[in-house]
Amino acid sequence: MKQIDLNDINKLLGIRLEKNDIFKFRCHPGVSCFNLCCRNLNLFLYPYDVIRLKNNLGISSDRFLDDYVDVVLRPGSHFPEVLLKMSGTEEKTCPFLTPGGCTVYPDRPDTCRTFPIEQGAVYDAKTDNVNRVQFFRPPDFCRGQDEETEWTPQTWANDQNAETYNKMTLRWYEIRRLFEDNPWGHEGPDGRKAKMAFMATYNIDGLKDFIFNSTFLKRFKLKSSTQKRIKKDDKALLLFGFEWIKFYIWGIQSKEIIVKK
Ligand code: SF4
Ligand code: SF4
């Protein structure tokens, strides 16, 4: 998902899809391009992608971040992103690709499950909302676009179990937008605040440890129902992490985080 300026929206490549627009597509092992799309990618992972993948692999967040991603700061950006490392082979295949297909298929990233639709996020200053825009944009070599199966963006999202992913990515973009202005001040992007924001975004095990095994609960009052929820559900914990980032970096109050007197 890219942050898109409203003025640039009609200059983008691909066919913009509105809610009820129809596109034709079908991917199956019989296509001549089978698996060609899973190589040499700039595959940025969103925070919820990282949770699903590291849980699928049964490894810790630290290990996932060490072994599977590069952390990159794009020019003009103030918050790092994580890019899935492709294999070191000549073909630079995705580390999860096998001849039989994707080994993490039930937990594949949002970008993979939404493909051949590409998503973008547009901020509407009038309503103060971040809205999703979608483009049908298969690469030229993708023969799935020659097939006759018809979809709307919604029926495609349902078919790919992408709803939760799409919602979580949009929630992340509501926070991500706030980083457009440099929030780090004299600390810079390697300072204490930036490290905390990165952990709360991409290291769910670290966030859980911070909340339950530091002085956090002595300093902040969290309802017992919230504590239970975020202890057992990583998605709820990530959403709590987004609230924490807003509070910690910008002082935006949250009903869930009360400073103890
Ligand atoms: S390139 Fe398109 S049709 Fe071919 S495997 Fe990938 S998604 Fe399927
Ligand atoms: S995660 Fe799966 S679907 Fe996505 S690029 Fe890798 S192999 Fe392909």
Side-chain angles (χ1 to χ4, degrees):
M1 190 180 278
K2 292 189 181 107
Q3 191 86 27
I4 296 170
D5 191 302
L6 264 179
N7 297 322
D8 293 337
I9 207 159
N10 292 323
K11 297 182 206 154
L12 295 171
L13 294 173
I15 300 167
R16 171 116 184 240
L17 293 172
E18 302 291 354
K19 196 170 163 220
N20 295 319
D21 284 344
I22 287 175
F23 65 96
K24 292 182 181 178
F25 184 76
R26 185 170 162 250
C27 176
H28 55 93
V31 285
S32 58
C33 52
F34 190 56
N35 283 346
L36 274 188
C37 50
C38 298
R39 58 194 68 193
N40 202 11
L41 296 169
N42 276 335
L43 184 46
F44 286 95
L45 300 178
Y46 302 114
Y48 185 63
D49 292 335
V50 173
I51 291 176
R52 292 285 294 256
L53 285 172
K54 76 104 190 159
N55 285 343
N56 179 291
L57 298 170
I59 60 177
S60 67
S61 306
D62 278 333
R63 179 149 168 232
F64 183 81
L65 294 171
D66 283 346
D67 292 355
Y68 287 95
V69 308
D70 289 316
V71 178
V72 294
L73 190 62
R74 295 203 235 196
S77 175
H78 300 291
F79 194 76
E81 290 167 87
V82 299
L83 190 58
L84 186 67
K85 280 182 199 162
M86 296 291 123
S87 70
T89 61
E90 201 181 324
E91 291 189 314
K92 296 194 175 103
T93 47
C94 171
F96 307 125
L97 182 68
T98 65
C102 175
T103 53
V104 294
Y105 193 77
D107 299 296
R108 67 201 183 285
D110 193 3
T111 301
C112 303
R113 65 184 63 224
T114 305
F115 183 95
I117 292 179
E118 197 165 304
Q119 312 173 68
V122 175
Y123 175 63
D124 185 343
K126 280 189 206 137
T127 59
D128 194 28
N129 281 329
V130 174
N131 299 312
R132 200 156 73 103
V133 287
Q134 305 178 88
F135 298 85
F136 180 62
R137 194 153 75 166
D140 289 345
F141 63 79
C142 173
R143 301 297 12 118
Q145 61 194 307
D146 302 334
E147 304 270 335
E148 290 301 321
T149 313
E150 293 189 341
W151 308 94
T152 64
Q154 187 61 55
T155 59
W156 182 244
N158 294 346
D159 186 75
Q160 298 296 307
N161 283 324
E163 274 274 280
T164 301
Y165 276 81
N166 292 171
K167 279 186 188 152
M168 290 299 285
T169 300
L170 202 57
R171 290 292 300 273
W172 164 234
Y173 257 82
E174 288 164 10
I175 314 287
R176 185 82 184 68
R177 193 187 70 73
L178 300 174
F179 288 101
E180 280 173 14
D181 295 323
N182 184 355
W184 311 129
H186 67 277
E187 285 188 12
D190 296 319
R192 184 181 46 102
K193 283 185 178 175
K195 282 186 179 140
M196 174 64 83
F198 185 84
M199 179 186 72
T201 305
Y202 294 115
N203 190 329
I204 204 77
D205 295 338
L207 178 63
K208 192 183 270 181
D209 192 45
F210 167 69
I211 291 171
F212 292 105
N213 296 317
S214 76
T215 56
F216 185 87
L217 291 174
K218 289 197 174 73
R219 293 182 291 137
F220 301 99
K221 197 155 96 186
L222 263 61
K223 282 188 201 151
S224 63
S225 58
T226 303
Q227 291 190 38
K228 271 190 205 146
R229 198 177 75 241
I230 64 177
K231 207 175 230 173
K232 68 168 198 244
D233 178 358
D234 280 350
K235 179 168 146 265
L237 179 58
L238 180 62
L239 291 171
F240 180 85
F242 291 166
E243 292 297 296
W244 170 241
I245 291 172
K246 286 197 285 185
F247 179 82
Y248 187 75
I249 308 289
W250 294 281
I252 299 170
Q253 297 297 316
S254 165
K255 278 188 283 181
E256 302 219 87
I257 305 168
I258 313 283
V259 182
K260 282 188 179 171
K261 300 257 164 67

